[in-house]
Amino acid sequence: MQDAGVDEVAIDTFSHYYRLLEHGETGMVPESSIDPVDMESLADVDVSDEQAAEAIAATAVIKLNGGLGTSMGMDRAKSLLCVRRGLSFLDVIARQVLRLRAEHDVRLPLLFMNSFRTSEDTMDALARYGDLASEGLPLEFLQNQEPKLLEKTLEPVSWEPDPTLEWCPPGHGDLYTALRGRGLLEKLIDEGFRYVFCSNSDNLGAVPDERVAGWFAQSGAPFAIEAVRRTPSDRKGGHFARRKTDGRIVLRETAQTLPEDQEALADLDRHRYCSTNNLWFDLEAMKHALDVRGGILGLPLIRNVKNVDPSDPSSPKVIQIETAMGAAIEVFEDARLIEVGRDRFVPVKTTNDLLVLRSDVYDLGSDLVLEQQADEVPFVDLDKSFYAHVGDFEKRFPQGAPSLREASSLRIEGDFTFGSEVKVVGDVELTGEGAERVENGAVLQGGEPADA
């Protein structure tokens, strides 16, 4: 890591987690150690216009932008994907921030945490926005990298076919390590900022909203996360809970759940809230927490086992040491959760999500804020054999997404290419053996085309 130029803060942090691995730490959170958690709702919070204005003026925005979208067949920054009206995620993010600066007459600096794989593409795409960078602050900083470790020996893996695959990012929990290692915590404080709003670049619902900023400021909390009610689509994902031993809020990820606890993980009545990965923190509180811990925040370990070459299941098994940025909630005694509307959580992890985002379920208003047009977001499950990769997905929706505003679900097994102005109503399931076409103007209802 030293030879590769990784900074000392990141090396110390990696060493901390390596020692945990050596001692058999798994990072698991047993169901028996936690209780369900409840929280207040943003809809019930009273925030004055003055409080909101003061808070957003003291806020800096960070977007996590290290993902390549490899699961969707991409080899560049996922945020370059076109989402609406010929605009990419990056275009929408940039224009949202520029609009908010003008509307509130604030600096609202925007920083992207890129990986060594996404930096060049991202900065090239943002070059058209000449006034996006805030004076005195960088538009990007790089996520750290660490070696993948052989599962059996914990030695750094060597992979001659592609040496770049010997390295991996340390998960988005590296945010705090990278900010400290690059001096950006101190820089933001020196520039007069008090709060940071951080979110994923593939979540267009994550607008730096002045009302949420006002709530966070008046709460006095050092750290907070926006949460949403879990739906069937979130059944396999992480959730919030409260640790029995000390009452702290914890974020349990799927990779931290024991096999015998998988049923409890999927219980939407017991564990009702999941993370949007939209989080807020007080810069002074974060700096103090890192200072007293010698630069190591001490987030729970996530032991992620993969193949060194993700595309080659016969390649050696490796451990990637990861942490989740939301797990920092358990570091702070007075951390808070706030329930927000689903409109603040529109992530795109698969082409299923991309289809919904491009459909009429959402409208991208003139203010570049997504507005949900349907009462409920439909469940979409596209056949992975034909739709998982973006290139294949685009070929099968050449005229754009069908109307999903009146859909409850759309499940496709088989190879279907959609014509223009197709409408999906209710619960629809399509199954087919060979390549089939859904004709222009078709109304799909209960799996069969009705009269258009």
Side-chain angles (χ1 to χ4, degrees):
M1 291 176 80
Q2 289 174 333
D3 290 346
V6 179
D7 72 58
E8 288 299 321
V9 175
I11 294 174
D12 289 345
T13 301
F14 175 80
S15 300
H16 165 77
Y17 287 105
Y18 187 91
R19 286 191 293 271
L20 292 181
L21 269 184
E22 281 187 310
H23 287 88
E25 176 66 47
T26 64
M28 293 296 176
V29 181
E31 184 68 24
S32 59
S33 70
I34 56 175
D35 286 321
V37 67
D38 212 343
M39 67 191 70
E40 61 186 321
S41 170
L42 182 64
D44 300 327
V45 171
D46 185 23
V47 178
S48 69
D49 291 343
E50 183 180 5
Q51 180 78 71
E54 289 179 3
I56 201 69
T59 297
V61 179
I62 296 176
K63 292 289 182 178
L64 301 187
N65 194 55
L68 286 178
T70 50
S71 64
M72 298 167 68
M74 297 181 64
D75 59 0
R76 57 181 189 154
K78 183 167 67 172
S79 54
L80 293 170
L81 261 177
C82 177
V83 284
R84 300 296 295 255
R85 301 201 315 239
L87 301 175
S88 69
F89 286 103
L90 290 177
D91 289 319
V92 176
I93 290 166
R95 296 179 190 201
Q96 283 175 344
V97 168
L98 291 172
R99 178 189 64 81
L100 287 168
R101 286 178 184 172
E103 181 180 329
H104 298 288
D105 191 24
V106 294
R107 282 183 67 187
L108 198 66
L110 173 62
L111 295 82
F112 288 88
M113 185 169 84
N114 288 320
S115 68
F116 58 95
R117 294 179 183 270
T118 62
S119 175
E120 185 175 355
D121 283 346
T122 297
M123 298 311 288
D124 285 347
L126 293 174
R128 74 191 73 173
Y129 302 103
D131 52 352
L132 189 59
S134 182
E135 185 176 354
L137 291 167
L139 188 54
E140 74 157 352
F141 62 100
L142 288 185
Q143 187 177 20
N144 289 300
Q145 58 177 350
E146 64 186 21
K148 298 177 182 178
L149 305 172
L150 287 168
E151 184 181 24
K152 293 182 178 179
T153 65
L154 298 187
E155 293 175 297
V157 69
S158 178
W159 191 243
E160 291 184 7
D162 185 356
T164 64
L165 293 177
E166 297 170 2
W167 295 86
C168 64
H172 43 64
D174 182 58
L175 167 69
Y176 314 110
T177 305
L179 284 173
R180 181 183 176 89
R182 287 154 181 71
L184 285 172
L185 280 178
E186 292 84 353
K187 183 67 174 172
L188 286 165
I189 293 170
D190 290 345
E191 290 285 325
F193 295 99
R194 175 74 184 276
Y195 312 113
V196 163
F197 170 61
C198 184
S199 61
N200 295 339
S201 63
D202 66 1
N203 176 15
L204 292 185
V207 182
D209 182 79
E210 65 274 13
R211 189 159 177 265
V212 187
W215 165 80
F216 180 62
Q218 69 185 23
S219 76
F223 190 96
I225 303 181
E226 299 177 31
V228 290
R229 295 286 180 116
R230 297 171 76 203
T231 69
S233 298
D234 308 312
R235 208 178 282 277
K236 295 181 181 179
H239 64 84
F240 291 109
R242 194 172 293 279
R243 192 162 52 208
K244 290 180 178 179
T245 54
D246 58 7
R248 295 273 178 109
I249 299 168
V250 298
L251 175 60
R252 180 171 70 167
E253 302 286 355
T254 306
Q256 296 170 294
T257 306
L258 295 164
E260 59 266 32
D261 292 333
Q262 291 297 321
E263 186 175 339
L265 172 74
D267 188 340
L268 304 184
D269 292 323
R270 175 169 171 78
H271 296 300
R272 296 185 295 163
Y273 300 98
C274 65
S275 176
T276 61
N277 231 26
N278 303 346
L279 59 82
W280 300 78
F281 62 85
D282 182 293
L283 281 160
E284 290 282 4
M286 183 60 69
K287 182 179 182 301
H288 175 73
L290 284 162
D291 286 347
V292 299
R293 291 168 172 81
I296 301 169
L297 203 54
L299 305 179
L301 167 74
I302 298 176
R303 182 181 182 273
N304 206 342
V305 179
K306 296 189 175 183
N307 297 100
V308 62
D309 182 348
S311 66
D312 180 4
S314 67
S315 62
K317 290 286 187 182
V318 293
I319 294 173
Q320 296 182 190
I321 296 175
E322 298 179 11
T323 57
M325 72 173 186
I329 197 164
E330 68 180 71
V331 172
F332 298 94
E333 185 176 0
D334 299 320
R336 300 280 289 274
L337 295 171
I338 183 89
E339 181 186 354
V340 297
R342 199 81 188 187
D343 58 336
R344 290 191 60 77
F345 186 47
V346 191
V348 175
K349 304 302 180 188
T350 66
T351 52
N352 299 336
D353 303 323
L354 184 60
L355 186 68
V356 176
L357 180 60
R358 288 185 177 179
S359 77
D360 58 356
V361 169
Y362 295 101
D363 181 45
L364 189 63
S366 58
D367 58 358
L368 295 165
V369 175
L370 279 181
E371 297 176 2
Q372 186 174 315
Q373 303 298 309
D375 293 336
E376 297 290 338
V377 176
F379 176 78
V380 171
D381 185 16
L382 305 176
D383 193 321
K384 292 183 175 62
S385 301
F386 303 103
Y387 300 90
H389 289 178
V390 171
D392 296 331
F393 169 89
E394 300 279 13
K395 290 176 186 176
R396 287 162 176 81
F397 295 101
Q399 306 298 323
S403 169
L404 296 175
R405 192 175 296 184
E406 297 178 44
S408 301
S409 65
L410 173 63
R411 294 174 171 86
I412 299 180
E413 291 185 20
D415 182 5
F416 290 82
T417 297
F418 282 64
S420 63
E421 299 182 5
V422 175
K423 184 176 183 180
V424 181
V425 180
D427 292 299
V428 171
E429 186 169 349
L430 299 179
T431 58
E433 294 296 329
E436 300 192 38
R437 178 176 175 82
V438 179
E439 296 300 331
N440 297 345
V443 178
L444 301 178
Q445 198 161 10
E448 296 294 334
D451 292 335

